[in-house]
Amino acid sequence: MVDLTEEERAAITATMKRVALLMEEIGWQTALADLTEAQVRALIEEAVEGFREAMADIAKSNAPEIPF
């Protein structure tokens, strides 16, 4: 079991929204076993990129302001 930080949980939520948009295109009724290699790759890439972007946004918002 992984202990996630609050930031990681927020990033996962943001990522789920992006993956859901892609699943809308693919079709929610499509079984995982029926996905093409390209579709699986697209889902993984969307998840990884979404998580990375969300974590970067969170890091920017938590960065201390430089007073000069």
Side-chain angles (χ1 to χ4, degrees):
M1 186 75 161
V2 177
D3 287 331
L4 299 175
T5 65
E6 289 302 314
E7 291 86 0
E8 290 167 330
R9 289 183 196 283
I12 288 171
T13 299
T15 301
M16 287 170 40
K17 293 175 184 176
R18 290 177 61 148
V19 171
L21 290 173
L22 183 54
M23 280 305 301
E24 286 291 325
E25 291 178 27
I26 293 171
W28 284 100
Q29 72 283 356
T30 307
L32 185 59
D34 294 334
L35 294 176
T36 65
E37 180 182 344
Q39 290 170 323
V40 172
R41 186 177 302 278
L43 284 169
I44 292 169
E45 289 173 0
E46 192 67 24
V48 170
E49 185 60 26
F51 187 81
R52 290 177 62 200
E53 283 183 16
M55 288 299 290
D57 290 344
I58 290 167
K60 284 181 199 171
S61 68
N62 291 339
E65 200 172 307
I66 299 173
F68 51 87

